[in-house]
Amino acid sequence: MACFMDHYSLCRAHATQFFFLLLMFSLSIVNSTACSNGNCQVLDSCAAATDCGPGLYCGNCPALGKNRPICTRGQATIPTTIIGDLPFNKYSWLVTHNSFSIVDTPALPGVQRLTFYNQEDPVTNQLRQPAINTLREVEAFLSQYPTEIVTIIIEDYVQTPKGLTSLFVRAGLDKYFFPVSKMPKKGEDWPTVTEMVQKNYRLLVFSSVASKEAEEGIAYQWRYILENESGDPGVKAGSCPHRKESQPLNSRKASLFLQNYFPTYPVEEDACKEHSTPLAEMVGTCYKAAGNLLPNFLAVNFYMRSDGGGVFDVLDKMNGQTLCGCSTVLACQSGAPFGSCKNIAVPRGSQTNNNSAGSFSGSVQFSRSASAVHSPNCMVFYSFYLPLVVFSLMSVIDKIWV
């Protein structure tokens, strides 16, 4: 009888374990297919970009061993829609490094590209609006959205007298210029976003050439912006040196701070890894180097690639800390005391399996899944490093920009 009971108990145990495993397998199947048709959220499994909700893409990150595709963020939170009417220098924005250098973009007539590729989607996708071409895209954007502010930083090699100014005038952008005479020269706060919009000072242009400020009315970058070293020195853990052209990061003589975070040689497949924990840690390192000042501009390559929240989550944390003392700007409450934070949901992440079955090649799917919905009163930062080293003649510039 005792033997029978032991055997029975063992059989019952096996049956229970089998049922449990079967249940777990069933739940796994349900879990991995629980969302589709635009209902999947950040970190949920996806089979195509159309499975993911607005503002999300479907991709994977083999560089981190995450081969199974999940929904990743592809759109920034606009902090001015949550905490508005603060000085321009109180916000943090995404910078697309070498915005013009887009993978698979055909060469322009008579001009050779002398850079690595740094981005994957068109300039207009980076601005999220209908396209024309380059600076005229910016003009169309500012014209269509009269509450937007755009910043352009130019690595300037134009030698033709008044050549750069002429370029902006021909593109119809001069009417949006923030006058150099009204820019803060001693590290003071900039005007509020509302004031800049009301006065139509909605285009900030900075040149790397000091003489352009007096000659053409284009602000000299290093008088107004602090910047850490670019390339490999800018991604070295635990170190955040300033560029030789820049004032020290802890200087208070300039009120804008641009943090570079991209390797010297850009590799698309590694960007998702770079935009995970290492990015957040480097922001913390540069924050300390700058005397507890978070960057206003965060420059990256292949900004769409991540293992989930990516650069957009980091920006949310930066704005949250600066604007309201919360862990993310999504927890900020307009009109509430500093440090009063609301509870927000954490992405559930239905898929953590690294199985390569059904995986994509490592590319983010740039598809219709990403929402083009425009947030009212938002402010867009757009960095454009012009490859003007090959544009020594104005006639060549005319061919490109007309």
Side-chain angles (χ1 to χ4, degrees):
M1 183 70 173
C3 182
F4 173 77
M5 287 298 294
D6 287 346
H7 178 70
Y8 173 76
S9 299
L10 183 62
C11 290
R12 182 172 59 183
H14 282 313
T16 302
Q17 292 174 9
F18 177 75
F19 176 75
F20 178 73
L21 290 172
L22 183 62
L23 177 62
M24 288 297 293
F25 178 72
S26 299
L27 287 175
S28 176
I29 293 175
V30 171
N31 196 35
S32 65
T33 59
C35 61
S36 60
N37 298 323
N39 294 317
C40 298
Q41 300 303 311
V42 175
L43 299 180
D44 282 341
S45 295
C46 54
T50 51
D51 289 339
C52 302
L56 305 179
Y57 289 103
C58 183
N60 60 358
C61 187
L64 283 173
K66 299 180 179 181
N67 296 310
R68 191 75 179 229
I70 58 172
C71 293
T72 62
R73 282 187 66 177
Q75 207 164 21
T77 302
I78 307 302
T80 51
T81 63
I82 301 174
I83 302 292
D85 204 28
L86 294 179
F88 175 77
N89 56 295
K90 298 300 182 184
Y91 298 95
S92 296
W93 305 100
L94 175 65
V95 180
T96 53
H97 170 238
N98 279 358
S99 310
F100 66 90
S101 187
I102 303 165
V103 173
D104 294 331
T105 299
L108 293 168
V111 177
Q112 294 181 359
R113 185 185 306 277
L114 299 180
T115 80
F116 296 102
Y117 291 111
N118 301 91
Q119 304 300 333
E120 293 173 294
D121 56 337
V123 167
T124 44
N125 259 6
Q126 295 166 36
L127 288 174
R128 296 241 181 264
Q129 304 305 329
I132 46 176
N133 189 26
T134 321
L135 285 183
R136 290 191 174 180
E137 296 182 46
V138 179
E139 196 286 325
F141 177 81
L142 288 169
S143 176
Q144 187 173 0
Y145 296 100
T147 60
E148 302 296 336
I149 299 172
V150 172
T151 300
I152 300 178
I153 301 173
I154 303 172
E155 186 174 323
D156 189 349
Y157 297 93
V158 177
Q159 299 178 5
T160 304
K162 304 290 184 179
L164 194 56
T165 302
S166 298
L167 192 61
F168 281 94
V169 170
R170 292 174 69 103
L173 286 169
D174 54 311
K175 57 182 173 289
Y176 303 111
F177 267 31
F178 191 114
V180 169
S181 61
K182 297 184 181 298
M183 291 184 175
K185 302 292 192 296
K186 299 179 180 180
E188 311 97 316
D189 282 341
W190 287 68
T192 67
V193 171
T194 300
E195 291 171 336
M196 292 170 67
V197 169
Q198 288 175 344
K199 295 179 180 180
N200 206 33
Y201 296 166
R202 298 190 295 119
L203 179 62
L204 284 71
V205 181
F206 298 94
S207 167
S208 59
V209 178
S211 61
K212 297 286 177 77
E213 183 161 325
E215 296 171 358
E216 301 191 40
I218 297 178
Y220 178 47
Q221 173 184 355
W222 305 113
R223 185 168 289 129
Y224 305 92
I225 302 176
L226 307 172
E227 186 173 336
N228 72 313
E229 191 63 77
S230 59
D232 290 344
V235 298
K236 183 180 179 181
S239 173
C240 188
H242 67 85
R243 285 186 62 159
K244 64 179 181 180
E245 303 93 337
S246 170
Q247 302 174 61
L249 298 185
N250 59 1
S251 170
R252 291 299 176 260
K253 295 181 180 179
S255 49
L256 296 175
F257 172 25
L258 187 154
Q259 179 179 343
N260 293 302
Y261 185 78
F262 48 85
T264 301
Y265 303 105
V267 179
E268 293 172 71
E269 291 76 12
D270 290 343
C272 61
K273 180 179 180 180
E274 295 162 0
H275 297 163
S276 58
T277 302
L279 173 57
E281 292 177 346
M282 186 56 70
V283 168
T285 298
C286 289
Y287 169 76
K288 294 177 181 178
N292 296 338
L293 179 69
L294 283 167
N296 302 104
F297 308 127
L298 183 60
V300 300
N301 290 331
F302 307 115
Y303 74 103
M304 301 297 300
R305 289 176 177 261
S306 76
D307 65 340
V311 297
F312 305 107
D313 275 4
V314 172
L315 284 168
D316 284 353
K317 293 175 182 177
M318 291 162 57
N319 280 309
Q321 180 173 332
T322 302
L323 302 180
C324 65
C326 299
S327 61
T328 171
V329 72
L330 300 175
C332 294
Q333 303 180 85
S334 180
F338 193 85
S340 298
C341 311
K342 62 184 178 181
N343 294 324
I344 58 171
V346 177
R348 59 184 182 271
S350 67
Q351 178 59 30
T352 58
N353 189 346
N354 291 334
N355 191 329
S356 62
S359 67
F360 295 123
S361 63
S363 297
V364 172
Q365 286 195 354
F366 296 109
S367 182
R368 287 181 289 274
S369 173
S371 173
V373 174
H374 180 77
S375 301
N377 301 315
C378 77
M379 185 166 73
V380 175
F381 176 83
Y382 164 60
S383 175
F384 187 68
Y385 291 77
L386 292 175
L388 296 179
V389 67
V390 295
F391 302 163
S392 59
L393 299 176
M394 197 61 196
S395 60
V396 176
I397 297 178
D398 289 345
K399 292 179 181 178
I400 294 170
W401 296 100
V402 173

